[in-house]
Amino acid sequence: MDRIDKRLLNLLQKDASRTNADLADEVGLSPSSCLRRIRRLKSAGIIDRTVAILNPAKAGRGLRAIVTVELERHGEQHMRRFLDLAAQEPAVTQAYGVSGQTDAFLILRLADMDEFDALCDRLLRDQANVARFYTMFVIKTAKEATSIPL
Amino acid sequence: MDRIDKRLLNLLQKDASRTNADLADEVGLSPSSCLRRIRRLKSAGIIDRTVAILNPAKAGRGLRAIVTVELERHGEQHMRRFLDLAAQEPAVTQAYGVSGQTDAFLILRLADMDEFDALCDRLLRDQANVARFYTMFVIKTAKEATSIPL
DNA sequence: TTGATCGTGCAATTTTATTGCACGATCATG
DNA sequence: CATGATCGTGCAATAAAATTGCACGATCAA
C-alpha cells in the first residue's frame, strides 16, 4: 500500500461514484492502472464494500439516540444474547460490547418517540437481564463519517 | 416513494456497486425506468452519496473507543467549540452533542493506544473546558450498519 | 550486465449507462 | 362519459465507461 493507494482509498471513501478515468486523472495514473489498483484493494478486502448513504431526515429517521446498558448478569453468553437481540432490531444501527463504565452500547436511528418507546419495551424493559439503561438523545451532529483516516 | 423505491434504497444501501440492469431485474423494472428512479432519489437528496467502506482492521484502525465528555461550562458556544475541535480530528469518526447523562459523545477509530493517548492529550486533557471524560473500549462489535431501515 | 518480476500505458473490445421516443395508465375536467 | 394532460414505463439506439491483451520500462538480485 503506497501513497497512491492511500489517495485512492481516501477518494473512494468520500465518493465511490466517480468514474475510473476521473480518479486515474486525479492521482496521475492511466485508467487501466488505476482500475487494477482498485480491484486489488477490493480483492484484498481492504475495500469491504461500496454502499449508498441515505439522508436520515429525508428517509424518515431523523431522531438519533445513544443508549448505554448495564446488564444484571455479566457472563459472556449473557452479553452475547443481549447483543444478538439488539442487532436484530432494524432501528439499532450500531451495537457494541464495551469495557468501562457500562456493558453495552447502542446507537439508534428512529422515526419518532413512539418507535423509541416500543423499542425500549421490547429490548430493554422486557429483557429480564437489563439492570439499567441510560438514554441520550442527539441534539447536534458535529461529525458522522463513514471513512477511516489513512 | 413507493414500494419499489424502498426496495431499491435497501439494495443500494447493501451494495451500491451492482449494475443498473441487475437492480432493474431484481425489482422487476426495465433498466431505463430503474435508472430514472435512482437518479430521482439522488437528486431529491434521499440518497446522499455513495462511498467505499473499508475494513478497519486491514486499514490499520482496528481499535474502537467510545468517549463521553462532560464540559465545565455548558453554553451553546462552548459546546460548539468543543465539537468543532473534535470533528477536526481524523480519528474521531462520530461526534455528537447530546442531552442526558453527559454533554458530548465521541466515537474513535484508532491504530493503537499511543494514538489514543495523543488524542486525549490534544482534545481532552489540554482542553480547559473539559470537566470529565469516560472512555469505553469496544470489545465486541455486534452490529455496525451504515444503512437506515425503511 | 543479465534476466526476472512488477507495475504501467496504450489501444481494442466488451459491458454498461444514458437518451429519445412512443405507449398505456391514471386522474381531473369539460 | 369522453377528453386531454400528466406521469411513469419499456424499447431500441447511442454514448460512455469498464475491461482486457499486449508490449514497454523500471527495479532488483544474481
Side-chain angles (χ1 to χ4, degrees), chain B residues 12-79:
Chain B
L12 289 172
Q13 284 191 112
K14 276 197 292 192
D15 181 4
S17 70
R18 300 176 62 179
T19 67
N20 179 53
D22 195 16
L23 289 169
D25 188 55
E26 179 147 347
V27 301
L29 249 52
S30 73
S32 61
S33 290
C34 183
L35 187 67
R36 267 188 288 263
R37 277 174 181 265
I38 292 172
R39 197 153 37 188
R40 188 165 46 75
L41 291 168
K42 280 182 185 161
S43 67
I46 297 172
I47 296 177
D48 183 52
R49 63 196 195 278
T50 101
V51 300
I53 304 291
L54 307 192
N55 180 316
K58 291 185 179 172
R61 295 268 172 171
L63 183 60
R64 259 179 289 253
I66 294 166
V67 182
T68 65
V69 181
E70 292 174 31
L71 298 180
E72 200 78 65
R73 291 166 305 240
H74 292 73
E76 157 68 17
Q77 60 269 45
H78 289 115
M79 169 64 92

Side-chain angles (χ1 to χ4, degrees), chain B residues 112-124:
Chain B
D112 51 41
M113 278 294 173
D114 286 347
E115 195 182 351
F116 175 69
D117 189 38
L119 180 66
C120 285
D121 282 346
R122 203 161 46 236
L123 188 62
L124 301 166

Side-chain angles (χ1 to χ4, degrees), chain A residues 4-142:
Chain A
I4 294 182
D5 282 331
K6 291 192 178 183
R7 281 184 64 196
L8 282 174
L9 288 174
N10 280 328
L11 291 171
L12 290 172
Q13 284 191 111
K14 276 197 292 191
D15 182 3
S17 70
R18 300 177 63 179
T19 67
N20 179 52
D22 196 16
L23 289 169
D25 188 55
E26 179 147 348
V27 301
L29 251 52
S30 74
S32 61
S33 290
C34 183
L35 188 66
R36 269 188 286 263
R37 277 174 180 265
I38 292 172
R39 198 152 40 189
R40 187 166 47 74
L41 291 168
K42 279 183 185 161
S43 67
I46 297 173
I47 296 178
D48 183 52
R49 62 196 194 279
T50 101
V51 300
I53 303 292
L54 305 192
N55 180 316
K58 291 184 180 173
R61 297 265 171 174
L63 184 59
R64 261 180 287 254
I66 294 167
V67 182
T68 65
V69 182
E70 294 175 29
L71 297 180
E72 201 78 66
R73 290 166 306 239
H74 292 74
E76 158 67 17
Q77 60 267 46
H78 290 115
M79 170 64 92
R80 180 161 45 216
R81 209 163 58 84
F82 174 77
L83 285 176
D84 284 351
L85 268 177
Q88 284 174 7
E89 291 285 345
V92 174
T93 58
Q94 299 175 55
Y96 303 108
V98 300
S99 72
Q101 305 299 309
T102 192
D103 297 317
F105 202 90
L106 309 177
I107 294 197
L108 272 37
R109 285 197 166 281
L110 304 152
D112 49 41
M113 278 294 173
D114 286 347
E115 194 182 351
F116 175 69
D117 189 38
L119 180 66
C120 286
D121 283 346
R122 205 162 46 238
L123 188 63
L124 301 167
R125 287 201 267 268
D126 295 352
Q127 268 285 87
N129 196 33
V130 172
R132 240 184 309 281
F133 69 93
Y134 299 102
T135 305
M136 291 162 282
F137 289 99
V138 172
I139 310 280
K140 197 189 293 291
T141 301

